[in-house]
């Protein structure tokens, strides 16, 4: 059974700092990995999607990397801003029989202080 | 529509009552998911619909939960005889049939059972 772990559970940084969020998964047989952002009381917003054949994806100040063999992904946020404060979730999509299911981590709660 | 639409956004009900939650996916998306997010917990898979195939109901926590998807579009999640432990945010997501498999979520329906 796939398990996804996100470390740290919470992170507080001053504005302008670069930061890294970590995601690890136990079964490396994945189809893709997706990073989401969730604001309080809201749904999930897709940030980046990395296919299993890819090593990284970039969107603006965000860069996500994937090392499938070691079961790890990182989300790098450059020059953080107070508006980046949210919970960040990673999810992996399996490549086996139930390859449509996403397994989610519990998220990292990020606070960027002005 | 432009995004995944869910209703109601908030529902407060008394223990023992039945509730219906609605999801209107992105137009043209063939795959539809229901997830549940409880306080302090990760996202829990409930059910998956793909086109005309039989749904994967393996995540439904009890027989009080059921879901249907009419005409390959709108989906309804029904919870009968609600219990306090059913209190959570119920999230719907849809995905196109493309290989990228990116999921798009609605804002969720927050259910509170008193």
């Amino acid at each position: 059974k796939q398990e996804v772990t996100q470390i740290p559970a919470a992170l507080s940084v001053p504005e302008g700092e670069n930061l890294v969020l970590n995601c690890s998964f136990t079964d490396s047989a994945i189809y893709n990995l997706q990073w989401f952002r969730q604001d309080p009381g809201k749904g999930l917003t897709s940030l980046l999607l990395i296919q299993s054949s890819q090593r990284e994806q970039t969107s603006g100040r965000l860069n996500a990397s994937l090392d499938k063999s070691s079961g790890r992904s990182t989300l790098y946020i450059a020059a953080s801003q107070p508006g980046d404060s949210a919970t960040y979730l990673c999810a992996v999509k399996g490549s086996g029989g139930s390859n449509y299911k996403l397994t989610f981590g519990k998220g990292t709660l990020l606070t960027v202080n002005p | 529509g432009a995004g995944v639409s869910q209703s109601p956004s908030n529902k407060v009900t008394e223990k023992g009552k039945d509730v219906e939650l609605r999801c209107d996916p992105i137009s043209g998306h063939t795959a539809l998911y229901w997830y549940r997010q409880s306080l302090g917990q990760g996202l829990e898979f409930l059910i998956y619909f793909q086109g005309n195939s039989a749904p994967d109901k393996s995540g439904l926590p009890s027989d009080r939960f059921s879901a249907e998807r009419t005409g390959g579009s709108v989906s309804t999640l029904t919870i009968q005889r609600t219990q306090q432990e059913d209190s959570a945010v119920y999230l719907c997501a849809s995905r196109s049939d493309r290989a990228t498999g990116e999921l798009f979520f609605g804002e969720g329906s927050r259910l509170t059972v008193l």
Side-chain angles (χ1 to χ4, degrees):
Chain A
K1 178 185 173 186
Q2 178 75 272
E3 292 184 2
V4 179
T5 303
Q6 291 188 245
I7 295 173
L11 180 64
S12 181
V13 301
E15 182 177 4
E17 191 163 298
N18 302 325
L19 59 100
V20 174
L21 307 180
N22 297 291
C23 172
S24 62
F25 45 95
T26 55
D27 185 350
S28 62
I30 66 168
Y31 187 79
N32 61 36
L33 183 146
Q34 198 166 351
W35 281 93
F36 295 89
R37 167 187 173 137
Q38 186 175 31
D39 293 289
K42 300 292 186 180
L44 277 67
T45 300
S46 179
L47 296 174
L48 290 164
L49 173 70
I50 310 178
Q51 302 299 331
S52 61
S53 59
Q54 297 175 323
R55 301 279 298 183
E56 65 177 339
Q57 283 285 335
T58 298
S59 176
R61 293 182 295 107
L62 305 180
N63 176 278
S65 68
L66 175 64
D67 185 342
K68 197 174 75 164
S69 61
S70 67
R72 294 178 185 174
S73 176
T74 62
L75 179 66
Y76 175 83
I77 302 177
S80 58
Q81 302 171 357
D84 295 331
S85 298
T87 297
Y88 290 80
L89 296 146
C90 73
V92 297
K93 187 176 181 217
S95 61
S98 300
N99 60 1
Y100 44 83
K101 287 185 184 178
L102 265 70
T103 303
F104 284 82
K106 293 188 177 181
T108 295
L109 176 61
L110 173 65
T111 303
V112 181
N113 301 300
Chain B
V4 178
S5 178
Q6 291 189 245
S7 62
S9 55
N10 278 287
K11 176 71 176 180
V12 180
T13 190
E14 293 179 348
K15 178 181 172 181
K17 301 279 190 179
D18 297 352
V19 296
E20 280 191 356
L21 308 176
R22 175 188 168 105
C23 173
D24 201 342
I26 293 173
S27 179
H29 279 193
T30 58
L32 187 147
Y33 301 73
W34 283 98
Y35 280 85
R36 179 168 72 173
Q37 187 175 34
S38 303
L39 191 64
Q41 301 297 314
L43 271 76
E44 175 189 12
F45 168 80
L46 297 178
I47 189 168
Y48 167 77
F49 295 92
Q50 171 62 57
N52 295 321
S53 302
D56 178 351
K57 304 180 180 181
S58 61
L60 295 178
S62 77
D63 58 8
R64 295 187 295 105
F65 287 72
S66 62
E68 62 177 21
R69 187 177 185 192
T70 54
S73 181
V74 172
S75 176
T76 302
L77 177 67
T78 301
I79 308 172
Q80 295 178 310
R81 305 181 302 282
T82 52
Q83 304 294 314
Q84 288 184 332
E85 61 263 28
D86 299 335
S87 296
V89 177
Y90 291 82
L91 291 160
C92 176
S94 71
R95 172 178 57 81
S96 73
D97 210 18
R98 296 181 300 150
T100 58
E102 187 174 8
L103 247 65
F104 295 91
F105 279 82
E107 294 288 290
S109 292
R110 180 176 297 277
L111 174 65
T112 303
V113 182
L114 301 177

